[in-house]
Amino acid sequence: AVLSASVTKINVTCYGANDGTITISSPMGGYGTYEYNIGSGWQGTGNFTNLSPGTYVVRIRDKAYPACEIVLDAGLVITEPADLSATVTKTDVTCSGANNGTITITNPTGGYGSYEFSINGGSTWSGLNSFSNLAPATYDVRMRDALYKSCVVVLDSALKITEPFALSATVSKTNVTCFGEPDGTITITDPQGGHGNYEYSINGGGS
């Protein structure tokens, strides 16, 4: 009977990887023993692994009569996904001692289209692309393909969330000179810390 078999493939999981596969199964015809070839020589098994992206010519032949061969697929393409990438932005902590920094990961591309993100070097992962309530620290920001979790790219290995210096200033006063006179003063000088511009209150922040 004419030679035949089923051919299946698995594409490369990550950009730059060499883990594609071609599997030839359910061979029929000929005299019952077979050899297989995808361009790298004949072998007795239909399992081909560790394949790079490319186009493969898939063949089967009768082991008893090697001249009897057929092409199962003349152009089987093993593909690879695009490289993972995304944009990382941050907001620093607003006040000394606060924990309100943020990291946001936008425009993810590549892979197989669904993603997970980590800001601690891959110790934990999240399907959410926004991280809030962050303390001042250095964060290792990564993304991975949610379908093939071994496909990981480092977006920023040392993203720093900073905090401003604590607010401080010097306060001086002059007392009222005479009973009933409204001529006392309070003067605040040498302000430091924060983001460099200041406002002042002498009524506990009421105004």
Side-chain angles (χ1 to χ4, degrees), residues 139-207:
Y139 294 87
D140 185 343
V141 184
R142 305 184 181 199
M143 70 179 290
R144 72 181 181 185
D145 192 314
L147 183 61
Y148 295 102
K149 297 182 186 297
S150 63
C151 301
V152 178
V153 66
V154 178
L155 299 174
D156 193 325
S157 62
L159 181 63
K160 292 184 177 180
I161 297 288
T162 64
E163 66 178 340
F165 289 111
L167 294 171
S168 66
T170 300
V171 179
S172 60
K173 67 166 184 174
T174 59
N175 292 322
V176 172
T177 55
C178 301
F179 179 82
E181 290 293 325
D183 59 357
T185 66
I186 294 174
T187 304
I188 306 167
T189 59
D190 193 25
Q192 298 183 27
H195 295 275
N197 54 351
Y198 310 100
E199 295 178 324
Y200 309 94
S201 173
I202 60 169
N203 61 5
S207 60

Side-chain angles (χ1 to χ4, degrees), residues 100-127:
N100 62 353
T102 68
I103 293 174
T104 304
I105 304 164
T106 57
N107 302 317
T109 61
Y112 286 91
S114 57
Y115 310 101
E116 294 177 331
F117 307 96
S118 173
I119 60 171
N120 57 12
S123 296
T124 57
W125 293 89
S126 171

Side-chain angles (χ1 to χ4, degrees), residues 7-195:
V7 180
T8 58
K9 70 166 184 173
I10 297 175
N11 291 320
V12 171
T13 57
C14 307
Y15 176 82
N18 298 314
D19 60 355
T21 68
I22 293 173
T23 303
I24 306 167
S25 59
S26 303
M28 299 175 63
Y31 285 87
T33 58
Y34 311 97
E35 291 181 322
Y36 312 91
N37 191 324
I38 61 169
S40 55
W42 294 94
Q43 66 180 44
T45 174
N47 298 319
F48 296 85
T49 59
N50 301 319
L51 302 181
S52 302
T55 301
Y56 296 85
V57 179
V58 184
R59 293 181 170 92
I60 183 174
R61 74 180 181 185
D62 192 317
K63 186 175 180 180
Y65 296 95
C68 300
E69 75 173 65
I70 65 166
V71 175
L72 297 171
D73 193 321
L76 181 62
V77 179
I78 296 289
T79 64
E80 69 178 345
D83 199 8
L84 294 171
S85 66
T87 300
V88 181
T89 56
K90 67 160 185 173
T91 59
D92 291 320
V93 170
T94 56
C95 304
S96 176
N99 296 317
N100 62 353
T102 68
I103 293 174
T104 304
I105 304 164
T106 57
N107 302 317
T109 61
Y112 286 91
S114 57
Y115 310 101
E116 294 177 331
F117 307 96
S118 173
I119 60 171
N120 57 12
S123 296
T124 57
W125 293 89
S126 171
L128 301 177
N129 67 332
S130 182
F131 300 84
S132 57
N133 302 319
L134 301 180
T138 299
Y139 294 87
D140 185 343
V141 184
R142 305 184 181 199
M143 70 179 290
R144 72 181 181 185
D145 192 314
L147 183 61
Y148 295 102
K149 297 182 186 297
S150 63
C151 301
V152 178
V153 66
V154 178
L155 299 174
D156 193 325
S157 62
L159 181 63
K160 292 184 177 180
I161 297 288
T162 64
E163 66 178 340
F165 289 111
L167 294 171
S168 66
T170 300
V171 179
S172 60
K173 67 166 184 174
T174 59
N175 292 322
V176 172
T177 55
C178 301
F179 179 82
E181 290 293 325
D183 59 357
T185 66
I186 294 174
T187 304
I188 306 167
T189 59
D190 193 25
Q192 298 183 27
H195 295 275

